[in-house]
């Protein structure tokens, strides 16, 4: 019996041949010509067809954007700033939003910032600054650039030293340092950690310097230390003809 081309994927038919044997013609969406002798056959039913397994849809990850609705409750942290330029302290509050809560992709991102103080001298520009920073937070993306921009602001009337010998070039810079501390706390900025070898080296440097110039009485760093341009801390000392910072490890000799 001659084999003819037929359409596939409709059914499977079994036709008797003249010699009593069976000839099977499969019908599919594409034409298929049978050129070999059929040695067996099976009639497919609906139960034999395996259902196509559909993979579960992966939920899309939520990211910070300006259209994200503000929840009723936000987690927040408050940082106190006390400067020698004012008798009243500033209180910086940063509220965070929890994205993808309860999943492996849970993350905490800043949503808004408030600055409060009894000192009304800087009220106007401080209010404007908080609104701009909050807008950047809600926009999404990497907001860490704000830290470097604010830390680079210098006061034309001069800066001041904080406890521990850290130099603050302006009040704006100190607000930037507070934001940096918060971003490190929530994991947006990864702090650079010194190795044990570097820590031991700086400890030895400090002991050698104090042995020659006297111990620092209750101070974080030796009294004769000068300002480090990298970490803005009064911790740079001269040892072995090379200026080395006892705080961050910065060295003029590389």
């Amino acid at each position: 019996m001659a084999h003819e081309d037929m359409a596939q994927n409709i059914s499977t038919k079994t036709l008797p041949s003249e010699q009593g044997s069976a000839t099977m013609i499969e019908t599919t969406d594409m034409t298929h010509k049978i050129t070999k002798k059929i040695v067996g056959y099976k009639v497919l039913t609906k139960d034999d067809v395996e259902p196509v397994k559909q993979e579960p849809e992966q939920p899309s990850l939520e990211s910070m954007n300006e259209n994200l609705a503000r929840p009723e409750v936000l987690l927040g942290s408050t940082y106190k700033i006390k400067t020698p330029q004012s008798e009243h302290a500033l209180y910086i509050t940063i509220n965070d939003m929890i994205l993808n809560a309860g999943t492996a992709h849970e993350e905490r991102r800043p949503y808004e910032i408030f600055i409060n103080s009894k000192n009304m001298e800087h009220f106007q520009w401080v209010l404007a600054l908080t609104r701009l920073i909050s807008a950047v937070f809600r926009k999404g993306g990497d907001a860490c650039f704000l830290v470097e921009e604010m830390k680079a602001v210098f006061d034309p009337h001069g800066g001041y030293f904080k406890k521990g010998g850290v130099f603050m070039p302006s009040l704006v810079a100190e607000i930037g340092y507070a934001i940096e501390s918060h971003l490190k706390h929530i994991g947006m900025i990864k702090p650079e950690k010194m190795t044990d070898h570097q820590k031991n080296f700086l400890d030895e440097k400090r002991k050698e310097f104090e042995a020659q110039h006297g111990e620092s009485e209750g101070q974080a760093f030796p009294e004769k230390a000068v300002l480090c341009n990298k970490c803005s801390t009064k911790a740079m000392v001269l040892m072995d003809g090379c200026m080395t910072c006892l705080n961050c490890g910065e060295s003029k000799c590389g």
Side-chain angles (χ1 to χ4, degrees):
M1 174 179 181
H3 301 293
E4 299 179 355
D5 296 343
M6 303 187 70
Q8 295 182 348
N9 204 25
I10 299 176
S11 62
T12 303
K13 297 181 179 179
T14 305
L15 302 178
S17 63
E18 296 178 355
Q19 290 78 16
S21 61
T23 302
M24 182 179 72
I25 300 179
E26 295 181 355
T27 60
T28 60
D29 291 336
M30 299 177 60
T31 57
H32 179 68
K33 185 176 181 180
I34 301 176
T35 57
K36 296 182 180 180
K37 183 178 179 181
I38 298 176
V39 296
Y41 67 92
K42 179 181 179 182
V43 179
L44 297 179
T45 63
K46 293 182 179 181
D47 297 335
D48 296 325
V49 180
E50 295 183 359
V52 179
K53 295 182 179 179
Q54 295 182 352
E55 296 183 357
E57 295 183 0
Q58 297 293 336
S60 58
L61 297 179
E62 189 179 40
S63 59
M64 183 66 70
N65 61 79
E66 56 189 350
N67 298 321
L68 201 61
R70 185 187 190 280
E72 294 295 330
V73 179
L74 291 175
L75 296 177
S77 302
T78 301
Y79 301 85
K80 180 181 178 180
I81 290 179
K82 186 68 175 69
T83 74
Q85 298 178 343
S86 174
E87 60 178 344
H88 300 294
L90 273 76
Y91 296 89
I92 302 174
T93 299
I94 304 176
N95 292 330
D96 303 322
M97 178 176 285
I98 305 299
L99 303 176
N100 308 303
T103 68
H105 303 283
E106 180 176 312
E107 58 183 1
R108 185 171 170 176
R109 289 293 178 264
Y111 184 82
E112 59 192 8
I113 181 173
F114 301 100
I115 300 178
N116 188 29
S117 176
K118 291 182 179 180
N119 185 4
M120 302 299 292
E121 179 183 359
H122 308 295
F123 175 79
Q124 183 174 336
W125 68 261
V126 166
L127 178 61
L129 184 65
T130 57
R131 291 187 177 183
L132 288 173
I133 295 175
S134 297
V136 173
F137 284 162
R138 296 190 189 105
K139 192 75 174 179
D142 188 4
C144 298
F145 72 94
L146 287 173
V147 171
E148 297 303 324
E149 293 293 337
M150 296 178 70
K151 286 166 61 176
V153 176
F154 288 83
D155 190 337
H157 299 292
Y160 52 90
F161 281 94
K162 288 179 62 67
K163 186 177 180 180
V166 180
F167 178 74
M168 287 295 166
S170 65
L171 180 58
V172 175
E174 185 152 11
I175 296 174
Y177 275 96
I179 296 175
E180 181 182 36
S181 298
H182 184 76
L183 296 184
K184 288 180 178 179
H185 174 67
I186 64 177
M188 286 188 66
I189 295 180
K190 305 299 181 183
E192 297 180 3
K193 295 183 178 180
M194 290 190 294
T195 63
D196 294 337
H197 174 72
Q198 290 174 317
K199 292 179 180 179
N200 294 333
F201 174 77
L202 293 180
D203 289 340
E204 292 177 1
K205 281 278 188 178
R206 178 166 185 164
K207 291 177 182 179
E208 291 177 9
F209 186 85
E210 290 180 344
Q212 295 179 11
H213 301 86
E215 296 184 359
S216 50
E217 299 177 357
Q219 298 182 7
F221 300 102
E223 185 178 354
K224 294 186 178 181
V226 297
L227 187 66
C228 173
N229 294 326
K230 182 178 180 180
C231 65
S232 299
T233 305
K234 196 176 179 181
M236 185 82 74
V237 297
L238 179 63
M239 286 295 299
D240 301 327
C242 183
M243 296 297 292
T244 304
C245 179
L246 299 177
N247 182 56
C248 66
E250 173 71 4
S251 177
K252 296 298 182 180
C253 303

